[in-house]
Amino acid sequence: MSTGNLLTDHPELYEERFPDPDRVAARWAEDTLRRHGAGTRVLDLGCGTGRDAAWLHHHAGRQVTGVDTAQAMLAHAGRSHPGPDYRRADMRDFDLGRTFDAVLCLDSALLYCHSNEELASCLAAVRRHLDPGGLLIAEMRNGAFFLGNTELLDGPRTASFAWRGTTHTSHTTLWIDHGAQLLRRRRTWTAADGTPSSARQEQHSAWRLLFPQELRYFLTTAGFEVLDLYDRPGPRTEPAWREGDVPHTTVASDRLHLVARLAPSPNPPHSNGEAP
């Protein structure tokens, strides 16, 4: 089933456009999991092509389940990055019937929850799938970066790359929908194969712009304790994260990195409704 997104519908093309040969994202995630003492059972929420899930499964010894909504991505993951248990589900409300030691949400996947209701529902589902003390680790765009910074909005931006003998060119424009608090994107693709004709496809997508204090509020309300919230270094920062790097204390750059622990219930249920 087509999603209307060229890269999502063609996962090989996605990996060509956004290469990560050194698996920096997966290695950053593993470093964060180890630093906070996470167990081996990991849910990769919004796993995409599965390359990070598979690295964690094979190289870090994690028991990984990958979840995504795009059938083409999941099919590619099973073929090209086997090992994890891949499931199709919507991150805004899912039920896998099991719990995990940690949930990963990389590459701004959490920001596809556009409304307050969707974000609250997603965090509630994450909570249901975590054991007490389990971790939520997320990496995403930083809404606070756009306070006074317009460099990403000065578009359109053009990028080209070759894949299977064809040059693909994207023209991308970003703008802020202030009322909805969304960063919207329009991307037009042109595929030139040396013939006079070319194929064009226009795509529209958006990310929720979350501010650090706003994110803390949502997490606290959902029953999490925020352990780390920082802008760099990470897998998509400049420079990118390297082994041995420690988190900064700032939250001003264009990426946010989050570590939150599921707090124990302050009033665990008892048969008589009273504390022991």
Side-chain angles (χ1 to χ4, degrees):
M1 179 183 297
S2 173
T3 66
N5 185 311
L6 182 67
L7 296 181
T8 302
D9 291 340
H10 299 85
E12 300 91 346
L13 192 62
Y14 179 96
E15 292 189 333
E16 188 73 21
R17 175 64 183 87
F18 300 109
D20 186 9
D22 297 326
R23 297 297 187 265
V24 176
R27 291 191 294 108
W28 171 83
E30 172 60 19
D31 181 79
T32 306
L33 289 164
R34 284 191 286 104
R35 185 156 44 85
H36 289 277
T40 59
R41 298 168 302 149
V42 174
L43 172 61
D44 186 357
L45 193 57
C47 65
T49 65
R51 60 186 178 187
D52 297 327
W55 190 95
L56 290 167
H57 181 89
H58 293 292
H59 296 277
R62 303 284 176 180
Q63 302 171 40
V64 183
T65 297
V67 164
D68 206 281
T69 58
Q71 188 60 51
M73 286 286 199
L74 292 172
H76 172 83
R79 292 191 307 269
S80 301
H81 305 291
D85 177 18
Y86 293 111
R87 306 283 188 91
R88 188 178 186 187
D90 191 325
M91 66 184 299
R92 294 166 293 188
D93 187 16
F94 59 96
D95 184 2
L96 303 179
R98 53 176 299 198
T99 58
F100 300 86
D101 300 305
V103 173
L104 296 178
C105 203
L106 305 178
D107 203 20
S108 295
L110 189 65
L111 303 185
Y112 288 107
C113 297
H114 290 172
S115 69
N116 292 345
E117 292 77 15
E118 289 179 348
L119 182 56
S121 179
C122 175
L123 292 177
V126 169
R127 178 186 175 92
R128 292 193 300 269
H129 285 77
L130 280 174
D131 283 339
L135 295 177
L136 170 61
I137 298 172
E139 181 270 337
M140 69 197 86
R141 291 180 179 271
N142 180 10
F145 172 76
F146 293 93
L147 296 174
N149 291 287
T150 62
E151 58 191 74
L152 295 180
L153 307 177
D154 297 335
R157 295 172 179 264
T158 300
S160 297
F161 65 99
W163 182 64
R164 294 184 178 178
T166 299
T167 298
H168 297 265
T169 301
S170 64
H171 305 272
T172 303
T173 302
L174 299 173
W175 73 97
I176 295 177
D177 181 339
H178 293 85
Q181 205 169 313
L182 295 176
L183 178 65
R184 295 194 180 275
R185 179 181 69 189
R186 179 175 61 251
R187 174 176 285 163
T188 301
W189 286 95
T190 301
D193 57 6
T195 64
S197 61
S198 62
R200 298 180 64 87
Q201 183 175 5
E202 184 169 289
Q203 301 155 4
H204 296 264
S205 56
W207 299 271
R208 172 69 181 266
L209 289 178
L210 287 171
F211 295 90
Q213 285 292 79
E214 180 184 21
L215 184 56
R216 286 182 182 274
Y217 175 80
F218 273 103
L219 288 159
T220 301
T221 302
F224 289 86
E225 175 192 4
V226 177
L227 305 179
D228 278 333
L229 188 60
Y230 61 94
D231 56 6
R232 62 179 60 195
R236 284 189 172 271
T237 61
E238 292 291 342
W241 172 88
R242 296 175 299 178
E243 299 284 349
D245 283 349
V246 296
H248 292 191
T249 59
T250 53
V251 289
S253 300
D254 63 332
R255 307 300 291 190
L256 270 183
H257 307 86
L258 162 74
V259 183
R261 189 182 303 279
L262 180 60
S265 174
N267 297 302
H270 298 280
S271 59
N272 61 1
E274 298 177 358

